[in-house]
Amino acid sequence: MKKIILLYCLLSSWAYAVPQPPSSAQLVTQIQKNGAKSVIAKLYTDDEKEWLYVLEKIEKGNDDWLKIASLLAPGSDADSAESLATAVAMAIPHNPSGVLAILNHENILPLSTDVVCALPFYSITRPQFNQYIVDSIQALYKVAASKSCIDTMVNTLGRSNGFKEDN
């Protein structure tokens, strides 16, 4: 029994020693306190683990995480802006109205309709891409004021030279 208690204590203390990724509420506070650029720089440390975690959360389309995307956008640089736009685009099938709510209409990068709805993908397979198009357009058709995003997707497809998996 003593061994079990000791093992439990060791595992419990180890669990508290492992840093936890930030919650959306923690990120809002950090952005308000330190600015988006500073928060992005911190998220990029340690092999970008926290940045990738944040992007995964944004891709799921939860409103709290979409808000994080909109707060981070002004502090983004070329790389972070690109990955942020891709994450928001991936959220369209999950929460099209939430995505449309955070897109700015002044076409300011990275969260403009012209970027997010223009299929900003660089590492996606043909089947994933095809499914994304179907799912996104179906989801967008159910939301008022989605015409601009749908038009951007369709026009992007119409201008493309075909799909290439090895971008």
Side-chain angles (χ1 to χ4, degrees):
M1 184 66 166
K2 289 181 183 180
K3 289 181 182 179
I4 292 174
I5 293 173
L6 180 61
L7 180 63
Y8 175 77
C9 289
L10 286 172
L11 290 176
S12 295
S13 64
W14 179 77
Y16 289 112
V18 175
Q20 298 296 313
S23 69
S24 59
Q26 289 170 323
L27 285 173
V28 168
T29 302
Q30 289 175 16
I31 293 166
Q32 290 170 341
K33 182 179 177 184
N34 304 317
K37 192 173 201 155
S38 173
V39 171
I40 290 171
K42 183 181 178 298
L43 292 171
Y44 260 78
T45 60
D46 194 22
D47 292 329
E48 301 177 19
K49 288 177 188 169
E50 286 187 355
W51 178 249
L52 296 173
Y53 170 83
V54 169
L55 294 177
E56 286 175 17
K57 291 296 207 176
I58 292 168
E59 286 177 8
K60 292 178 182 174
N62 176 284
D63 286 327
D64 291 341
W65 287 97
L66 290 173
K67 178 182 178 181
I68 297 300
S70 69
L71 293 173
L72 290 173
S76 62
D77 61 11
D79 184 57
S80 59
E82 187 175 279
S83 57
L84 198 56
T86 299
V88 171
M90 291 301 286
I92 290 173
H94 307 292
N95 185 357
S97 59
V99 169
L100 294 175
I102 66 164
L103 297 183
N104 68 60
H105 302 289
E106 292 84 34
N107 292 325
I108 299 169
L109 301 177
L111 299 185
S112 69
T113 302
D114 288 345
V115 174
V116 172
C117 299
L119 314 171
F121 306 116
Y122 300 97
S123 58
I124 189 170
T125 66
R126 182 185 301 261
Q128 290 170 326
F129 182 77
N130 291 341
Q131 191 63 55
Y132 170 83
I133 295 296
V134 170
D135 293 346
S136 293
I137 291 177
Q138 285 178 342
L140 285 165
Y141 267 120
K142 297 174 186 174
V143 177
S146 62
K147 184 180 181 333
S148 178
C149 188
I150 294 169
D151 288 349
T152 300
M153 283 183 179
V154 170
N155 290 335
T156 300
L157 287 170
R159 288 189 309 266
S160 83
N161 291 329
F163 183 84
K164 296 178 180 144
E165 282 190 41
D166 62 342
N167 304 12

